[in-house]
Amino acid sequence: MDGAGNRTLYDVTQTSEAAARVQGPPVRRRRVHRAWFVAAVTFVTIIGAAAFRSLPGLLMDPLHEDFGWSRGTIGAAVSINLALYGLTAPFAAALMDRFGIRKVVAVALTVIAIGSGLTVWMTAAWQLLLCWGLLVGLGSGSMALAFAATVTNRWFTERRGLVSGILTAASASGQLIFLPLLSWMVETYDWRPAAVTVALAALAVVPFVWLLLRDHPADVGLMPYGAQEFVPKPAPVTGAARRTLTILARAVRTGPFWLLAGTFAICGASTNGLIQTHFVPAAHDHGMPVTAAASLLAVIGVFDVVGTIASGWFTDRFEPRRLLAVYYALRGVSLLFLPMLLGPSVHPPMVFFIVFYGLDWVATVPPTLALCREQYGEDSAIVFGWVLASHQVGAALVAFLGGVARDVFGSYNMVWYTSGTLCAVAALMALVIRRSQAPVAALS
C-alpha cells in the first residue's frame, strides 16, 4: 500500500476514534433491556418498605387497649408519619441526585427497620411519636413515590406511564402481602410480633438494593429504554437542600403546581389518611372482625395493582387531566355510599365497594406524575416530591382528625361524607390545569 493509502487509513481510524469519544461509551445490546431489571428491583424494594404502611390501622385498637391512649393520640403518631413521608420526599429526590439512588434507599430502609423495631419496648405515647412518627416517617419518605419517579425518569424514555403505574402498584402489592399476615399476628398473638415483622421485611430488602440497583443507565454503558442516543451520567449535584427549596420557590409561582398539590392533598386525605388508617377500626365499630376488615383492605390492594397499572397504560394514551377528573369523581361517589355499607359481615355491596375503590386507590399517581413531567421537565421528580408532600399532609390531617371525630361523635360518618365532597372538588380542579407545550426551565 502506498503512502497516500496509509494516510487515508490513518485518517479514517482517527475519525472513528474521535466519533466514539464524542458519542460516549459503547452501548451493549440486550434482548431484555436492563431498565426492566432495575424496575423489578425497585418494585421489590417498595414492596418491602410498604410493609409498615399495612400496620397503623391494625394498631389503633390494640394500642388503645394496652396503654389506654386515645385514638386521637395514636392518630397523631400516624399523622406525623404521613406528614414526614411527604415532606421528606422532595429532599430525598435531591439526595438521590447527589449521592445516588442505592445509598439513599439502603439508609432509608435501615431507618424504617430501626423505628419499627424500637416500638416493641415503648411505654409512653411520646415514644410512639418518636419511633413510628419520626423515624419511620423519615425513612419511608425517602422511599416515597419520588423514588419511583427518579428511577422512571432516568431509565425510561418510553413506557413511562406504564412503568410509573407498575411501581406505584408496588405499594399496594406490599399491602396485599403483609396485611393478612400482620392482622393474623395481631389477632392471634400481639401487636409486637407484627412490628418486628415489618422491621425484618425492611432489612431483608437492603441487600437487593445494594447488589442489584444501579443509579443510571450510563453506569452499565446503556441508553435509557426507548432512547435514540447515549445519555451520559450527570455529575453529582451539590447543595441538595438548597436546590430542592429553589425548585419549590420557582414552582409555587405557577398555577399548575397549586392545582396539582391541591388535588393530591385530597387524594391523600381520601386514601392513606382515611381508608388505610380508619377503615379497619370503623368496620370493627360495626361488629366486623378485625381479620375480616383487614382482608377487605388487602383486597383493595389486589385491585389497586390492576387499577394503577391500567392507569399508567391510559396515561400513555389519553389526556391526564380528564383521567384525574374521572378518578376523583368516582372515588367521591363511592365514599358517600360507604356509611350505608358497613356492617358486621361481608356482603355483596361491600365487596363491590372494595373492588371499585381499589381500582381507583392510587390510579391518580401516573397522570399526576405525567403532568409534573409536562410542566417542569427534568426537575419534575423534585416537584413531584413536593406535590407528594401535599398528598401526605392531606393524609396526615385526616389520620388525626378522623381519630378525633371518632372520639367526639362516636362514629366515622362525618369523615366519610366530608372526604367524598372533597373528591368532587378535586375533580373540578383537575379539569382547569392548563396545558404546557414547553416545560418550565430547569433550575439546577
Side-chain angles (χ1 to χ4, degrees):
M1 184 179 293
D2 59 17
N6 286 331
R7 283 193 302 273
T8 301
L9 179 60
Y10 174 81
D11 292 341
V12 170
T13 302
Q14 292 293 93
T15 301
S16 300
E17 291 176 352
R21 286 194 298 271
V22 171
Q23 293 173 0
V27 177
R28 293 181 296 208
R29 299 187 180 277
R30 293 173 178 263
R31 183 168 296 178
V32 178
H33 196 283
R34 178 69 175 268
W36 294 108
F37 292 101
V38 172
V41 173
T42 305
F43 186 90
V44 173
T45 302
I46 295 175
I47 286 179
F52 80 92
R53 298 182 63 191
S54 305
L55 199 53
L58 303 178
L59 295 184
M60 194 75 70
D61 289 333
L63 292 178
H64 175 69
E65 293 169 4
D66 271 14
F67 299 103
W69 300 334
S70 71
R71 290 177 176 83
T73 299
I74 301 168
V78 179
S79 177
I80 293 171
N81 178 298
L82 293 172
L84 287 176
Y85 176 91
L87 294 172
T88 304
F91 294 96
L95 287 173
M96 289 177 189
D97 289 341
R98 175 67 178 88
F99 298 105
I101 298 174
R102 280 198 308 170
K103 293 179 181 178
V104 173
V105 173
V107 171
L109 287 168
T110 304
V111 171
I112 290 172
I114 292 171
S116 180
L118 288 177
T119 58
V120 301
W121 290 290
M122 67 184 178
T123 57
W126 69 266
Q127 295 166 346
L128 176 67
L129 300 176
L130 174 65
C131 295
W132 204 260
L134 180 63
L135 292 179
V136 177
L138 288 173
S140 60
S142 301
M143 290 293 305
L145 293 174
F147 168 41
T150 301
V151 170
T152 303
N153 287 350
R154 290 186 181 185
W155 281 89
F156 293 86
T157 58
E158 293 182 356
R159 303 290 188 270
R160 279 178 168 174
L162 177 62
V163 174
S164 62
I166 293 173
L167 297 182
T168 302
S171 181
S173 300
Q175 177 176 294
L176 165 64
I177 293 169
F178 288 103
L179 254 179
L181 173 64
L182 296 177
S183 64
W184 174 79
M185 284 184 174
V186 171
E187 192 82 356
T188 306
Y189 300 104
D190 189 21
W191 60 269
R192 291 174 179 84
V196 172
T197 300
V198 169
L200 294 176
L203 281 179
V205 182
V206 174
F208 291 94
V209 171
W210 196 256
L211 295 175
L212 301 177
L213 195 62
R214 292 295 179 267
D215 293 332
H216 195 278
D219 289 341
V220 288
L222 291 174
M223 295 185 295
Y225 179 81
Q228 300 302 314
E229 59 183 16
F230 184 84
V231 179
K233 183 178 181 178
V237 180
T238 58
R242 184 178 67 253
R243 178 170 178 251
T244 302
L245 295 173
T246 301
I247 291 174
L248 173 64
R250 176 69 174 269
V252 296
R253 295 198 293 269
T254 64
F257 175 81
W258 292 106
L259 291 169
L260 288 167
T263 55
F264 226 39
I266 294 172
C267 179
S270 57
T271 52
N272 303 72
L274 181 65
I275 296 296
Q276 192 160 44
T277 305
H278 296 294
F279 178 79
V280 171
H284 190 54
D285 283 347
H286 287 76
M288 185 180 294
V290 170
T291 50
S295 297
L296 289 176
L297 204 55
V299 173
I300 287 179
V302 175
F303 288 94
D304 177 30
V305 174
V306 177
T308 307
I309 294 175
S311 177
W313 187 86
F314 289 142
T315 302
D316 286 332
R317 291 161 176 80
F318 300 104
E319 171 58 50
R321 295 158 189 78
R322 295 181 181 179
L323 289 176
L324 282 180
V326 171
Y327 295 157
Y328 284 122
L330 293 177
R331 183 185 300 175
V333 171
S334 67
L335 287 173
L336 293 176
F337 279 98
L338 181 57
M340 296 179 281
L341 303 178
L342 289 170
S345 61
V346 179
H347 46 84
M350 173 57 77
V351 174
F352 178 79
F353 167 83
I354 292 297
V355 173
F356 187 87
Y357 190 87
L359 291 171
D360 200 327
W361 177 268
V362 285
T364 55
V365 173
T368 300
L369 183 53
L371 289 171
C372 284
R373 192 179 298 119
E374 173 189 305
Q375 298 285 340
Y376 303 104
E378 66 184 58
D379 291 328
S380 61
I382 294 177
V383 173
F384 179 73
W386 285 112
V387 171
L388 178 62
S390 71
H391 180 282
Q392 296 309 115
V393 169
L397 286 172
V398 172
F400 172 66
L401 294 176
V404 172
R406 171 62 179 80
D407 290 334
V408 173
F409 299 108
S411 77
Y412 285 100
N413 287 353
M414 180 68 69
V415 185
W416 306 132
Y417 294 136
T418 303
S419 297
T421 303
L422 287 174
C423 287
V425 174
L428 295 175
M429 292 171 66
L431 290 174
V432 299
I433 299 174
R434 65 174 174 81
R435 296 182 65 92
S436 176
Q437 300 300 324
V440 173
L443 300 171
S444 56

